[in-house]
Amino acid sequence: MAQAVKKKVEGPSADKVHVWPYLVRLEFMCAIICMIVLTVWSIVIDAPLEEAANPTKTPNPSKAPWYFLGLQDILVYFDPWFAGVVAPSLIIVGLMLIPYLDVNPKGNGYYTYAERKVAIWVYCFGFLVLWIALIIMGVFLRGPGWNLFMPWEYWDPHKVVALTNVDLPYAFGIRTYNAAMIFGGLVVGGYFVLGAMVYFFMERKALKNVGFLRMFLKIQLLLIMVGIVVKIVLRLGFNIKYVWVTPWFNI
Amino acid sequence: MDQIKSGKIFSELAKAVTESQVWMSSFRHGYADTPRNRVLQIASNVWLHLHPVKIQRHALRIKFTWCMGGITFLMFLVTVVTGVVLMFYYRPVGEYAYYDMKYLQYDVPFGMLMRNMHRWAAHSMVITVWLHMFRVFLTGSYKAPREFNWVIGVFLVTFTLLLSFTGYLLPWDQLSMWAVTVGTNMARATPFLGHEGPFAEFVGVSPRYDARSVLLGGSLVGPPALLRFYVLHCIFIPLVAGALMIVHFWRIRKDGGISGPL
Ligand code: HEM
């Protein structure tokens, strides 16, 4: 921080250096080191090639490429239309919106935690936990039947995992289809409406500066991200399969 | 003889070379370390001119950029070069693809090395682009005036993943076929457009005619899918990603260089 203040006094053009040689030589060194590492790595470790593709022989487990295993893991908790299509689309759109939703002018061009705590927490949670940690779990701990295996456990393809999941309305004692549908809709809708209302109430002073649309999009995206975690907790902790069942889709 | 003994011949020779028409038409300025030449090295060189001639000193700090954008680009270049070599030997046809891989690995000189470098560079690129993005987030470099370059970046990370994913199918072995099956199965759950997706019944899509079959050229991962992924992998996505990278680099300059605490 002290450094930042000092720079301000000096002015932007005070401390400029020539790109040749100062930057180009760094880039060159960096490239050489990377090429050496990559070449050695490529000499030592061979790319995998299994037996020829065979559409009649499904491996168990079938895994997507490792960088998509976070999404594949979400499939345990959500139907494919969400985990495989809507969630990735929302990730892409949400990432693109970041610069337009985060209007905090501080922390532009230097590392700081103190000046943008919430932003850093949200990004780190999304990236390190929901993306990276799930990938690591998907690569190393998911075995046959997409069941969890500890690293020292044998990948038993016949491992039986009791599925006693019920839908949320059922857990609340609702037995008819239509009532369950309405109940589920109220829970999901209520989550988003109430969440937004609480947020707008707590941040009511910011409304004038930040604007309604910005705050609305921000809280909806956040609620979706938190909602994914809520669903995971509901499934793992309370054996809830779906919260909302409709003739068209289930959540 | 005198000239050789005194070493004068070398300077004579150097002079003859550097003042020849061939030399002077290729290199437009001297190499002496003068401020003017430092500027010209960048400004008159087509490969280097995407750089500004001068930058803020703090932009040199590896601790700030982690050098990750540059490494991502380097990995991309490696896949381009090794990929061209692989293309000489590989045919994206159901009957040949797998055996061309075997041929590459066991008979083509340096074939295995080319394949390894291509694959590991591609995987590295996925990791470094995530780290680059993480760094850009942590330094808040997406804030004004760099919002647009962040958006370009999100396109780039998407295309990087798609490049890697389309390439994953090409070895045409069990690993690739089933990974791509798992991945593309998601497309049939696309709302409205996939035959198992929500509201599909209102659109009238079928297993043979929906989002997934457009992607695969059929209802399963077969030879038409191989050809499609090959064309996307070798032509379409690299062209788009390459164009976006040029825009990305251009915008870094136009947004005032690497962000800094000013
Ligand atoms: C193929 C992928 C990419 C390549 C080759 C690339 C390359 C680069 C390079 C060489 C820089 C210069 C500074 C540095 O090295 O850190 C840079 C800066 C930048 N990149 Fe990327 N990038 C890519 C993807 C992305 C992504 C995914 C994002 C964000 C979503 C992004 C956003 C930015 C921004 C905002 C800057 C300016 C940073 C600053 O001013 O401090 N880029 N990029």
Side-chain angles (χ1 to χ4, degrees), chain A residues 163-206:
Chain A
L163 281 182
T164 50
N165 296 334
V166 294
D167 296 334
L168 186 75
Y170 189 92
F172 276 85
I174 297 172
R175 293 291 182 269
T176 67
Y177 189 87
N178 283 338
M181 186 165 98
I182 293 169
F183 178 80
L186 286 177
V187 171
V188 174
Y191 168 74
F192 283 97
V193 173
L194 274 181
M197 276 165 58
V198 169
Y199 174 71
F200 273 101
F201 180 74
M202 279 168 46
E203 297 287 319
R204 59 193 178 283
K205 279 201 222 103

Side-chain angles (χ1 to χ4, degrees), chain B residues 226-256:
Chain B
L226 181 60
L227 185 56
R228 265 173 211 220
F229 273 50
Y230 176 79
V231 173
L232 289 174
H233 182 75
C234 301
I235 298 173
F236 181 71
I237 305 178
L239 281 181
V240 177
L244 285 174
M245 280 179 215
I246 293 172
V247 179
H248 193 62
F249 301 155
W250 183 245
R251 277 302 291 242
I252 297 174
R253 271 191 76 173
K254 293 292 141 182
D255 293 338

